[in-house]
Amino acid sequence: MKVFVAGATGRVAQLLIENLVEKGHFVYAGARRENEIPMNDQVKPVHLDLHDDVADLAKTLGDAEAIYFVAGSRGKDLLQTDLYGAVKLMQAAEQEGIGRYIQLSSLFALVPENWSDSILNYNIAKYFSDSWLINNTDLDYTIIQPGSLKEETGSGNITTSIEKRSENSIENVAAVLAEVLERPNTYQKVIMMGDGDTPIDEALAAI
């Protein structure tokens, strides 16, 4: 499958791209600093600026069959990138007839009463971008909502039964993102996740 990854220079995205390539997919790696992305037979760097309008964003998608939104401004540009950038990319996907859309979000982004004050504005941005994806598009979406990200080796085991906080190795998050791509049972689903005891394949099959 030909897949477009928005935010391709990010920590999660880099591992996601590795996972997608291992599965035999071709990746359009979209980023503002596309020159930092190594190109090979399965990865093509593409210039992507989420400040562009929908028509320009649509032109960057090429012949992609699925889109990942894993971009993030790390709090520096939440409205333009994390929120409106996501919405515009959804609109571009629909304009181009690309149905599959996978979005990396934040744990409990749609449950304001569970938000942490430390990332309040980030959760607000994700609340509205997730809500737009669910309520204002006809995309076959999957929204992945991990808790705190940790730079450590992934166990390959997760839980999707989250009641409070969760911690997630970045490797596990990237693996889950890659695994949901071709799983119709994850369409129109919001999946909260944390590191746990269930193999990823088994956990996703149960959704």
Side-chain angles (χ1 to χ4, degrees):
M1 183 181 291
K2 294 179 179 179
V3 181
F4 189 96
V5 175
T9 55
R11 297 177 300 168
V12 174
Q14 292 177 51
L15 291 175
L16 168 61
I17 290 169
E18 290 180 13
N19 276 273
L20 292 171
V21 167
E22 287 176 6
K23 292 177 178 296
H25 301 295
F26 181 88
V27 178
Y28 292 107
R32 282 186 299 177
R33 303 185 308 278
E34 75 280 7
N35 59 301
E36 297 180 7
I37 302 168
M39 180 171 61
N40 57 53
D41 290 342
Q42 284 180 267
V43 179
K44 179 180 179 180
V46 177
H47 182 72
L48 174 72
D49 188 341
L50 291 167
H51 286 208
D52 287 345
D53 61 25
V54 173
D56 286 334
L57 291 175
K59 293 176 184 176
T60 70
L61 299 177
D63 57 352
E65 302 163 87
I67 295 173
Y68 281 92
F69 185 90
V70 290
S73 67
R74 297 199 179 191
K76 298 177 181 178
D77 191 35
L78 290 170
L79 290 178
Q80 287 275 29
T81 296
D82 302 66
L83 200 173
Y84 194 36
V87 169
K88 288 187 292 184
L89 196 63
M90 296 170 207
Q91 294 171 329
E94 291 196 301
Q95 181 174 305
E96 293 301 298
I98 303 168
R100 187 72 173 113
Y101 195 98
I102 300 165
Q103 177 151 290
L104 178 62
S105 184
S106 175
L107 187 67
F108 296 121
L110 295 169
V111 189
E113 57 267 31
N114 288 354
W115 288 353
S116 166
D117 289 341
S118 63
I119 55 169
L120 178 62
N121 289 333
Y122 178 66
N123 277 327
I124 291 171
K126 286 301 183 184
Y127 173 86
F128 285 104
S129 62
D130 287 1
S131 296
W132 185 278
L133 182 53
I134 294 167
N135 299 316
N136 295 89
T137 78
D138 292 317
L139 295 167
D140 290 323
Y141 68 82
T142 302
I143 298 172
I144 303 297
Q145 295 185 340
S148 302
L149 299 182
K150 302 181 296 180
E151 295 195 21
E152 62 180 41
T153 302
S155 64
N157 297 321
I158 63 167
T159 178
T160 58
S161 299
I162 306 295
E163 295 181 359
K164 294 183 180 179
R165 299 174 59 186
S166 75
E167 292 188 335
N168 301 258
S169 68
I170 293 176
E171 285 189 4
N172 278 354
V173 174
V176 167
L177 286 164
E179 282 292 335
V180 300
L181 177 60
E182 298 181 283
R183 291 178 181 261
N185 68 306
T186 67
Y187 290 7
Q188 279 78 49
K189 296 287 175 40
V190 177
I191 302 172
M192 292 188 287
M193 66 169 287
D195 291 344
D197 301 317
T198 306
I200 289 172
D201 181 72
E202 182 181 332
L204 294 178
I207 290 172

